Amino acid sequence: MLPAGQHASAAPSFAKGADISWVPGMEAQGYKWKDKNGVQRDIIDILKNDYQINSVRIRVFVNPSNDYGNGYMNKDRAAALAQRAKNAGMSVMLTLHYSDSWADPGQQTKPAAWKNYTFQQLMDAVWNHTRDVMTAMQSKGVTPDWVQIGNETSNGMLWEDGKASTNMKNYAWLVNTGHNAVKSMSTGTKTIVHLAGGDDNALYVWNIGGLINNGANFDMIAMSLYPSASGWNTAVTNTVNNAKDLINRYGKEIIISEIGMDNNQAAAGKSFVAAMKNQIRNLPNVKGKGVFYWEPQATPGYNGGYGKGAWQSNMMPTVVMEGFID
């Protein structure tokens, strides 16, 4: 239920989220999901009505291939998926990879079309692409509540120009460019810097502190966390302590934009999700804004071996997502 007077387009006070970016490609491949009772239903309907998911996270690549697992999500497919989610009453987090395929701590490869750009041209490209994607979303009636400026930019983005370890200033300017582009389209949308390893405080102080020292503007800090079934308690404790430290240092809101655990450890996964949800929601000064499970609809071994989804090969769910239920 929405509080009285709150528009459905407003971000929830606490996001219970799922990254569903593989959904269009999986549907194109013929996947059809069932609920825990074995009834075939739309995956967004199941996530919302069975697991209290109120928000989705959707990635966009610049000029992706048509590979369902490692490309596919251009701005138009992302906008169509965002429209489906909004029509279900959900909020949308847009994740801009600024790459033609995966951007993460191990690779932040420039789009092929941007390969030979000067740094000024690169900033212009970030500005234009960000606005293009926002325009595509708005043409479908969706204004994202959150936009990630990059994905897991633990060592910056758009390498080598924006590699944080060699040019923190360039990284900060690229973040600023994305932030300003988002705000030029929607002042109410929150911008996010997202790093991996949410339990690694030193990484966050170096990266986020470096951005701020170089004049970067952004609204929120996002984290990923993928612990083992035996180590999740410690990982959650360290992540929450990291979040508290970042709130003290920088005063910014915290959101957990990726979590996951091995599909065959579903009971531990459910406990992990519940603990993360409860502890992030109770961060000081109401600075904890949500938790997103990464690609719960993935079946075991999807896309050449992904093993942290929450659906089984019989297309019925594990218990993992029950951790979101209050």
Side-chain angles (χ1 to χ4, degrees):
M1 295 293 290
L2 292 167
Q6 180 175 315
H7 297 291
S9 58
S13 57
F14 189 82
K16 297 179 184 182
D19 191 312
I20 59 168
S21 304
W22 268 332
V23 163
M26 293 181 80
E27 288 176 337
Q29 290 171 283
Y31 285 81
K32 296 181 189 299
W33 293 268
K34 296 175 182 175
D35 63 20
K36 65 187 177 191
N37 298 316
V39 178
Q40 188 180 303
R41 289 162 54 201
D42 182 89
I43 185 63
I44 292 173
D45 171 50
I46 298 173
L47 290 169
K48 178 188 178 184
N49 291 306
D50 296 12
Y51 302 109
Q52 300 180 2
I53 298 302
N54 59 28
S55 305
V56 299
R57 180 173 180 260
I58 301 172
R59 68 178 157 269
V60 174
F61 299 130
V62 177
N63 293 303
S65 73
N66 280 318
D67 183 294
Y68 295 124
N70 305 303
Y72 203 65
M73 290 306 284
N74 58 26
K75 66 184 180 184
D76 297 319
R77 290 187 175 118
L81 183 60
Q83 183 180 45
R84 279 175 63 186
K86 184 177 183 206
N87 287 344
M90 292 177 164
S91 289
V92 174
M93 179 190 289
L94 167 62
T95 304
L96 296 169
H97 280 239
Y98 299 115
S99 185
D100 292 336
S101 189
W102 304 104
D104 56 47
Q107 56 196 355
Q108 294 282 338
T109 307
K110 286 177 197 167
W114 304 3
K115 187 166 178 268
N116 297 315
Y117 283 1
T118 65
F119 187 65
Q120 181 61 54
Q121 289 172 324
L122 209 53
M123 287 195 293
D124 291 345
V126 165
W127 170 269
N128 290 328
H129 173 69
T130 303
R131 283 176 54 92
D132 280 349
V133 177
M134 290 287 284
T135 298
M137 294 252 167
Q138 289 180 346
S139 75
K140 295 287 191 182
V142 181
T143 297
D145 286 299
W146 314 270
V147 177
Q148 277 191 203
I149 310 302
N151 186 71
E152 292 191 331
T153 56
S154 300
N155 193 15
M157 58 203 281
L158 291 161
W159 293 347
E160 293 290 316
D161 298 58
K163 187 176 264 191
S165 54
T166 54
N167 202 323
M168 187 69 77
K169 183 178 180 181
N170 277 4
Y171 171 39
W173 283 29
L174 290 166
V175 168
N176 249 355
T177 302
H179 166 87
N180 290 338
V182 169
K183 297 294 185 177
S184 76
M185 301 289 292
S186 167
T187 56
T189 296
K190 298 281 186 78
T191 58
I192 297 175
V193 170
H194 169 221
L195 313 182
D199 52 351
D200 184 353
N201 178 246
L203 166 67
Y204 282 73
V205 172
W206 170 74
N207 186 299
I208 300 298
L211 284 174
I212 291 170
N213 289 340
N214 281 277
N217 292 303
F218 58 97
D219 297 319
M220 302 175 75
I221 300 167
M223 303 173 169
S224 297
L225 190 69
Y226 291 97
S228 67
S230 58
W232 70 262
N233 276 291
T234 302
V236 169
T237 298
N238 292 339
T239 299
V240 170
N241 287 337
N242 183 26
K244 289 176 178 174
D245 181 59
L246 296 170
I247 291 167
N248 284 334
R249 288 175 186 266
Y250 311 120
K252 292 190 183 291
E253 295 174 339
I254 307 291
I255 199 160
I256 310 298
S257 61
E258 293 185 21
I259 58 170
M261 190 180 285
D262 285 348
N263 186 288
N264 59 7
Q265 300 284 348
K270 176 183 172 180
S271 298
F272 163 55
V273 169
M276 185 65 101
K277 173 197 69 180
N278 292 332
Q279 294 195 50
I280 295 300
R281 187 158 53 190
N282 290 310
L283 284 173
N285 306 319
V286 205
K287 293 288 191 185
K289 293 301 178 184
V291 175
F292 286 73
Y293 202 92
W294 199 79
E295 304 277 14
Q297 81 289 343
T299 50
Y302 181 72
N303 193 32
Y306 189 68
K308 298 182 192 295
W311 255 257
Q312 302 169 86
S313 52
N314 66 2
M315 300 314 294
M316 288 171 64
T318 70
V319 296
V320 167
M321 297 300 283
E322 292 175 16
F324 280 107
I325 300 173
D326 287 319

